Structure formats: structure tokens, C-alpha cells
Amino acid sequence: MAETNLQILLRRRPQGAPVPEDFEIVETPVPEPQPGEVLVRAQYLSLDPYMRGRMSDAKSYSAPVALGAVMAGQTAGTVIASKAPGFAPGDTVLGGSGWQRFSCVQPGSLFKIAPDDAPLSASLGVLGMPGLTAWVGLEDIGRPKSGETMVVSAASGAVGQVVGQIGRIRGCKVIGIAGGEAKCRFVTEVLGFDACIDHRGDVAAELDRLCPEGIDVYWENVGGAVQRAVFPRLRDFARMVMCGMIAEYNDTTPAPGPNLMSAVRKRLRIQGFIVSDTGWPRYPQFRQEMLGWMQAGRMTWREDVVEGLRNAPTAFIGLLKGENFGKLVVKID
Ligand SMILES: NC(=O)c1ccc[n+]([C@@H]2O[C@H](COP(=O)([O-])OP(=O)(O)OC[C@H]3O[C@@H](n4cnc5c(N)ncnc54)[C@H](OP(=O)(O)O)[C@@H]3O)[C@@H](O)[C@H]2O)c1
């Protein structure tokens, strides 16, 4: 039987938390590459919090997915056919092919990667967009110095696990914040953070105990109650890296914010960033440094691998509730 393409489309825009009915799973013919295009078969799909924003048509830094279109997402896979110079069948590639098994893509959006550097799925996590996010945000904004105290929210997640380990490599005392005992134990025992606070407990009291001098670098992944506990404990000249606020992505009305007057009094540097602004041209430099840390045993990572593309919607809905443990990827087929 001829192979078919499996695609997951955006059927409708979610109201609050996404539900399975917001997605549609379809089977279509495998597309034919046109001149200048490459046909890619995806082996892994990355599921990431930013996809919640793409499902909505609210104004943002990036255009929404159109209704009826394939959900946007990064994949790691293999070139099956090529009508573009520089790519040949069998090449291993990283690119934005979306939630589907086969896709025809322009080579400008593909990175060719060495297949034996690391397991393929790592190129969607520690060696991919989340790892690049951690590296860029610390290089450009966090600028951790030896002896400083760093706090990282969503610490067991795709971005947080890399942020904290780089903090340790740079000589910081690193405190993670994560949901539940198992995640906190992983953060200290496997990732090597100095301590981890369960955000279901009294975060403010634990921060006072673990960071008596205050916090020099705060990596913000979640917002909400965690942000309200961390913010008053920032030291003079602290850097708050505004990476994301996942706790608020499903909100239908905005929560009241922190008192940002402290940014003036304490001369804080609070800067948001989007990894794609400056990250991808530096990808080769990032990949080389990260691979060096991985091969030297200084960087570890955890993945949460879901089997089968049909399970992507349920897994993504769970990610927005903290059900993933580590970088969430889908193994296609
Ligand atoms: N600025 C950029 O360019 C950029 C790039 C990539 C990612 N990001 C942002 O970085 C953040 C982390 O992304 P990731 O890929 O590393 O995701 P992730 O950590 O792998 O998954 C999301 C995690 O967020 C936590 N979470 C979810 N809902 C929460 C809630 N209501 N309150 C507290 N924690 C909650 C959960 O961990 P716990 O169970 O531990 O709470 C969950 O496992 C997100 O905000 C994302 O949007 C930004």
C-alpha cells in the first residue's frame, strides 16, 4: 500500500485551554517536491509552549496558524528527495516542517546536521531551539558571573534544564523551581542544581531560606505566583531574563502584574527576547559549545517522548498543564 502523509491541522481557535476538538487529524497523499524544494520525512516533532500563541489570532511577534492549516512546529528528519542544490536524499535535517510526517520545504529553512553527534531528538531540545534559547538569553541578558545566585523557573523543562546547567558551568549558585517532588529531585540529583523549590509549596519562604542575600539572575519561564514570589527578592542590578510566562498562556483575562517600580529603584535590567531574533545565525557556535559540554559530561538532558503523531494534540494540551517531564517530543510513526 502506498504511503500517506499524516497531518494535524488547526480546526478552531481555543477558548482558554486547548481541547482535542481544536485539532483535526487527516491523511493526505505524500507531496511531490517542486523545483527548489526538498521532501523531508520527519522522525521527531518538537512540542513547545509557543504553539499555544500560534493557535490564537491575538497580535503577537509571529503570525497565527491559519484555520485549516498544518500546526507549526520544528522537526528533525531525513531528506527523501531533493530538487534543491546542497541537499541530497539521506541528509539529516532540522527544520520547521510542522505537525506532519512528510513536507516539501524551502532549503533556506533547513539546517543540515551531522547524524552521529548526538541522538536525533536532542536536536529539538538541548541542541535545538530550547537549548539555543537558554544559551542566547544567558549570553545576551542574564550574563551570569561566578559566585552569583541564579533562580530558574520551570527548571526541569526543556529550556530550564539547560539554563541552570550553564549557570553551574559559569560558577553560579543555581536554585530551580519546579512542580512536584519527582521533578525537584531530578533537578538537583541529575541536573546538579544546588537546590530546587516545589512551586506547590511556600515559594517565598524557601527563596528566603535558600537565597538569603537575594537573587542576581532570574530566568522567567512561568510568571504568575512564582514571579510574584521572586520579584521582591531581586538584588540591586539583578537581571531578569523574560523568556516566557506559561502559567498565563491559557488565561482569557490578564492577571495583575508585579510592581515594576522596583526596576527603577534597583536599576534592574529586565529584557524580553525571542530566540529567533538573534539566535539562528549563531546556531553553529551554540551547537559546537553545547556538544563540547555534552561530550565532556557537563551537560545532561531529559526528554519526554510520546509515541505516534496522532498523540501530539493530547501531549501538547498536557504540556500547558505541566504534565510533561523534560523536553517534550513526538516520535512519529
Ligand atoms: N523567548 C523565547 O524565544 C522562548 C523560546 C522557547 C521557550 N520559551 C518559553 O520558555 C518557557 C519554558 O518553555 P519549555 O519549552 O522549557 O517548556 P517545558 O518546561 O518543557 O514545559 C512547560 C513546563 O512549564 C511548567 N508549567 C506549565 N504550566 C504551569 C503553571 N500554570 N505554573 C507553573 N508552571 C507551569 C510545567 O513545569 P512544572 O511542572 O515544573 O511547573 C511544564 O512542564 C515557556 O514560557 C516558553 O514559552 C521562550
Side-chain angles (χ1 to χ4, degrees), residues 15 30 36 78 128-129 131 166 180-181 188 225 295-296:
Q15 299 299 315
V30 175
T78 309
M129 183 279 285
I166 298 178
E181 199 201 322
T188 51
Q295 284 158 3

CSV table of all heavy atoms in Angstrom, one decimal, residues 15 30 36 78 128-129 131 166 180-181 188 225 295-296:
chain,number,residue,atom,x,y,z
A,15,GLN,N,-10.6,28.4,23.2
A,15,GLN,CA,-11.1,29.4,24.2
A,15,GLN,C,-10.5,28.9,25.5
A,15,GLN,O,-10.9,27.9,26.0
A,15,GLN,CB,-12.6,29.4,24.3
A,15,GLN,CG,-13.3,29.8,23.0
A,15,GLN,CD,-12.9,31.2,22.6
A,15,GLN,OE1,-12.9,32.1,23.4
A,15,GLN,NE2,-12.6,31.4,21.3
A,30,VAL,N,1.4,11.8,-0.1
A,30,VAL,CA,2.7,12.4,0.1
A,30,VAL,C,3.0,13.4,-1.0
A,30,VAL,O,2.8,13.2,-2.1
A,30,VAL,CB,3.8,11.2,0.0
A,30,VAL,CG1,5.2,11.8,0.2
A,30,VAL,CG2,3.5,10.2,1.1
A,36,GLY,N,13.4,23.5,-6.5
A,36,GLY,CA,13.9,24.4,-5.4
A,36,GLY,C,13.4,23.9,-4.1
A,36,GLY,O,13.7,24.5,-3.1
A,78,THR,N,14.7,13.3,7.8
A,78,THR,CA,15.6,12.8,6.7
A,78,THR,C,15.1,13.3,5.4
A,78,THR,O,13.9,13.3,5.1
A,78,THR,CB,15.7,11.3,6.7
A,78,THR,OG1,16.0,10.8,8.0
A,78,THR,CG2,16.8,10.8,5.8
A,128,GLY,N,18.8,22.1,20.3
A,128,GLY,CA,17.8,22.7,19.4
A,128,GLY,C,17.3,24.0,19.9
A,128,GLY,O,18.0,24.7,20.7
A,129,MET,N,16.1,24.4,19.5
A,129,MET,CA,15.6,25.7,19.8
A,129,MET,C,15.6,26.0,21.3
A,129,MET,O,16.0,27.1,21.8
A,129,MET,CB,14.2,25.9,19.2
A,129,MET,CG,13.6,27.2,19.4
A,129,MET,SD,12.8,27.4,21.0
A,129,MET,CE,11.3,26.4,20.8
A,131,GLY,N,17.5,24.7,23.8
A,131,GLY,CA,18.9,24.9,24.2
A,131,GLY,C,19.5,26.2,23.7
A,131,GLY,O,20.2,26.9,24.5
A,166,ILE,N,24.0,25.6,32.5
A,166,ILE,CA,25.0,26.6,32.1
A,166,ILE,C,25.4,27.5,33.3
A,166,ILE,O,26.5,27.9,33.5
A,166,ILE,CB,24.5,27.5,30.9
A,166,ILE,CG1,24.2,26.6,29.7
A,166,ILE,CG2,25.4,28.6,30.6
A,166,ILE,CD1,23.6,27.3,28.5
A,180,GLY,N,6.4,19.6,41.9
A,180,GLY,CA,6.4,18.3,42.4
A,180,GLY,C,7.7,17.7,42.8
A,180,GLY,O,8.8,18.2,42.3
A,181,GLU,N,7.6,16.7,43.7
A,181,GLU,CA,8.9,16.2,44.3
A,181,GLU,C,9.8,15.5,43.2
A,181,GLU,O,11.0,15.6,43.3
A,181,GLU,CB,8.4,15.2,45.4
A,181,GLU,CG,9.5,14.9,46.4
A,181,GLU,CD,9.2,13.5,47.1
A,181,GLU,OE1,8.1,13.2,47.4
A,181,GLU,OE2,10.2,12.8,47.3
A,188,THR,N,17.9,18.5,41.1
A,188,THR,CA,19.1,18.5,42.0
A,188,THR,C,20.0,17.3,41.7
A,188,THR,O,21.2,17.5,41.5
A,188,THR,CB,18.8,18.6,43.5
A,188,THR,OG1,17.8,17.6,43.8
A,188,THR,CG2,18.2,19.9,43.9
A,225,ALA,N,2.2,33.3,40.2
A,225,ALA,CA,2.5,33.3,41.6
A,225,ALA,C,4.1,33.2,41.8
A,225,ALA,O,4.6,33.8,42.7
A,225,ALA,CB,1.8,32.2,42.3
A,295,GLN,N,29.7,16.2,25.5
A,295,GLN,CA,30.7,15.1,25.3
A,295,GLN,C,31.6,15.1,26.6
A,295,GLN,O,32.2,14.1,26.9
A,295,GLN,CB,31.5,15.3,24.0
A,295,GLN,CG,30.6,14.9,22.8
A,295,GLN,CD,31.0,15.5,21.5
A,295,GLN,OE1,32.0,16.3,21.4
A,295,GLN,NE2,30.3,15.2,20.5
A,296,ALA,N,31.8,16.2,27.2
A,296,ALA,CA,32.6,16.3,28.4
A,296,ALA,C,31.8,15.8,29.7
A,296,ALA,O,32.4,15.9,30.8
A,296,ALA,CB,33.2,17.7,28.6
